[in-house]
Amino acid sequence: MKTAVVCNDKIIVKDTPKISLDGRLGAVVKVLGCGLCGSDIVKFVHKISKDGTVLGHEIVAQIVEINSQTNFKIGDTIVTSHHIPCGKCVYCKHANVSMCEHFKLTNIRPGGFSQFVYLSEEHLENVAHIKPENLTEVEASFYEPLGCIVRAVKRANMLEGDKVLVVGLGSIGILTAQALKAYGMNVTGCDLLSERIEFLQKLGIDAVDVRELQGEFDGIFMTSGADKAIDTALKHVRNGGKILVFSSTPSEMSAYANNEIYYRELTVIGSYSPSPADLKDSLELLRTGKVKVNGISTEYELDDIQQAFDDTMSNTIMKAYIKIKD
């Protein structure tokens, strides 16, 4: 089978042995396509992933082999996530599912940028769902990233009608703005790129150039990893407001001023990955059209995956979707 692997600062496509169940519980799925996540970019650029690693987890796939107690069957087209919390540890009990050790250990094998993937029985039981008929494969691939955003919205615990600002209108920012609106917030987005501002405006959500931004907001959702996004957040959050961080920054020295947080009684919250319940809510937002994703992704063939990485890193495109053929 064809698999895209990290190799000497590049992503190359190579032939690897086809996987099978070999008596295990779970399913082997044929990957139809996989979204390129920002975390894949970070792992590649900062050499977090070793050579031979298969990245990718935002998959849409068809079951080709199964041994399961679930109701899934061969031929089903599904979406799935890659991590599953245990639900019992101290992290899970405090709703910090991303920190759960079991969560970090579970994964799809070998990774989404592969013709075939193994899903455990636990994946089928907790995070896999039949693709809704009204969603295309590309639309359905937003199931996992939108699940991450649903969790961020819940963690912020804003009040209905609150004024919320989304800083950065890449694919995550566009999704975040829509999710906040779906949960009853009064949303504004900001960015430096006019085409992204216009993209959000066409979805019926206010968006402005960050250099023209005025006013204060009850909550700031930071979906940009630029260091200056921190300054924007601190400038425009009201006293007593919240800043939700859903991005990493290139500089380890980036930090919030302690005195700003202390004297202004600001709440700063991080959010990373979703729980199974967040993922289920995500799929419903996509199915009902409350979050629209048409026009966000640019499609690439698996053989062109390095170009997809390059175009994403250069901001030539907003997001890549890797189609995987037979």
Side-chain angles (χ1 to χ4, degrees), residues 229-243:
I230 297 174
D231 297 331
T232 299
L234 289 170
K235 180 180 178 181
H236 291 282
V237 66
R238 66 162 172 81
N239 291 342
K242 297 177 181 178
I243 299 174

Side-chain angles (χ1 to χ4, degrees), residues 266-279:
L266 300 179
T267 300
V268 181
I269 308 164
S271 190
Y272 192 55
S273 291
S275 71
D278 301 324
L279 289 161

Side-chain angles (χ1 to χ4, degrees), residues 86-107:
C86 72
K88 301 175 183 178
C89 69
V90 63
Y91 301 112
C92 288
K93 288 178 180 178
H94 287 83
N96 301 126
V97 294
S98 300
M99 302 299 106
C100 168
E101 289 300 320
H102 185 74
F103 183 94
K104 296 176 181 180
L105 291 173
T106 51
N107 213 332

Side-chain angles (χ1 to χ4, degrees), residues 278-298:
D278 301 324
L279 289 161
K280 189 174 181 180
D281 291 343
S282 162
L283 195 60
E284 185 65 7
L285 288 174
L286 291 169
R287 186 190 68 80
T288 58
K290 291 181 179 178
V291 172
K292 302 181 187 301
V293 295
N294 286 333
I296 293 178
S297 294
T298 300

Side-chain angles (χ1 to χ4, degrees), residues 10-317:
K10 292 184 178 180
I11 306 291
I12 65 168
V13 178
K14 59 186 293 187
D15 289 323
T16 58
K18 184 178 177 181
I19 59 175
S20 62
L21 283 180
D22 292 328
R24 294 176 293 182
L25 283 174
V28 172
V29 298
K30 180 188 180 300
V31 180
L32 303 174
C34 182
L36 176 56
C37 178
S39 67
D40 295 322
I41 299 291
V42 170
K43 291 172 185 176
F44 173 68
V45 170
H46 296 285
K47 298 179 173 57
I48 297 170
S49 296
K50 298 181 293 185
D51 281 0
T53 298
V54 181
L55 298 171
H57 54 267
E58 301 174 359
I59 69 170
V60 181
Q62 188 174 58
I63 295 174
V64 295
E65 186 180 357
I66 191 165
N67 177 24
S68 173
Q69 298 300 311
T70 66
N71 293 324
F72 292 110
K73 62 185 185 301
I74 290 175
D76 284 344
T77 299
I78 65 169
V79 292
T80 186
S81 184
H82 50 324
H83 298 312
I84 306 137
C86 72
K88 301 175 183 178
C89 69
V90 63
Y91 301 112
C92 288
K93 288 178 180 178
H94 287 83
N96 301 126
V97 294
S98 300
M99 302 299 106
C100 168
E101 289 300 320
H102 185 74
F103 183 94
K104 296 176 181 180
L105 291 173
T106 51
N107 213 332
I108 58 177
R109 306 292 181 188
F113 298 133
S114 174
Q115 282 186 307
F116 296 92
V117 159
Y118 167 68
L119 301 179
S120 71
E121 180 78 345
E122 195 174 11
H123 284 90
L124 296 177
E125 290 173 342
N126 292 280
V127 295
H129 296 277
I130 297 290
K131 181 186 77 67
E133 291 185 1
N134 67 323
L135 296 180
T136 67
E137 292 168 11
V138 178
E139 290 170 334
S141 71
F142 283 87
Y143 158 75
E144 191 274 340
L146 181 57
C148 296
I149 291 159
V150 168
R151 179 166 183 265
V153 172
K154 291 177 182 178
R155 279 176 64 77
N157 196 28
M158 307 298 298
L159 299 178
E160 186 173 349
D162 274 352
K163 290 178 59 180
V164 181
L165 175 69
V166 178
V167 181
L169 299 178
S171 61
I172 291 297
I174 295 293
L175 294 176
T176 299
Q178 293 185 77
L180 286 163
K181 182 179 179 181
Y183 279 91
M185 310 301 144
N186 182 1
V187 186
T188 299
C190 68
D191 202 286
L192 287 169
L193 300 178
S194 59
E195 60 268 26
R196 297 188 176 185
I197 293 168
E198 292 168 4
F199 193 103
L200 190 60
Q201 289 173 337
K202 289 178 181 178
L203 291 171
I205 298 175
D206 290 339
V208 298
D209 190 305
V210 67
R211 292 163 294 196
E212 300 172 0
L213 185 63
Q214 296 180 349
E216 291 185 334
F217 296 83
D218 301 302
I220 311 287
F221 278 66
M222 274 185 50
T223 60
S224 167
D227 285 341
K228 288 186 177 179
I230 297 174
D231 297 331
T232 299
L234 289 170
K235 180 180 178 181
H236 291 282
V237 66
R238 66 162 172 81
N239 291 342
K242 297 177 181 178
I243 299 174
L244 188 291
V245 181
F246 192 63
S247 60
S248 59
T249 57
S251 171
E252 291 294 334
M253 298 303 294
S254 299
Y256 292 100
N258 179 78
N259 286 357
E260 290 256 24
I261 298 171
Y262 175 54
Y263 288 112
R264 298 178 60 196
E265 290 193 345
L266 300 179
T267 300
V268 181
I269 308 164
S271 190
Y272 192 55
S273 291
S275 71
D278 301 324
L279 289 161
K280 189 174 181 180
D281 291 343
S282 162
L283 195 60
E284 185 65 7
L285 288 174
L286 291 169
R287 186 190 68 80
T288 58
K290 291 181 179 178
V291 172
K292 302 181 187 301
V293 295
N294 286 333
I296 293 178
S297 294
T298 300
E299 297 183 31
Y300 295 79
E301 303 293 338
L302 182 62
D303 287 337
D304 298 321
I305 191 168
Q306 182 63 61
Q307 190 64 53
F309 270 74
D310 293 342
D311 290 349
T312 304
M313 291 185 289
S314 66
N315 279 333
T316 304
I317 63 169

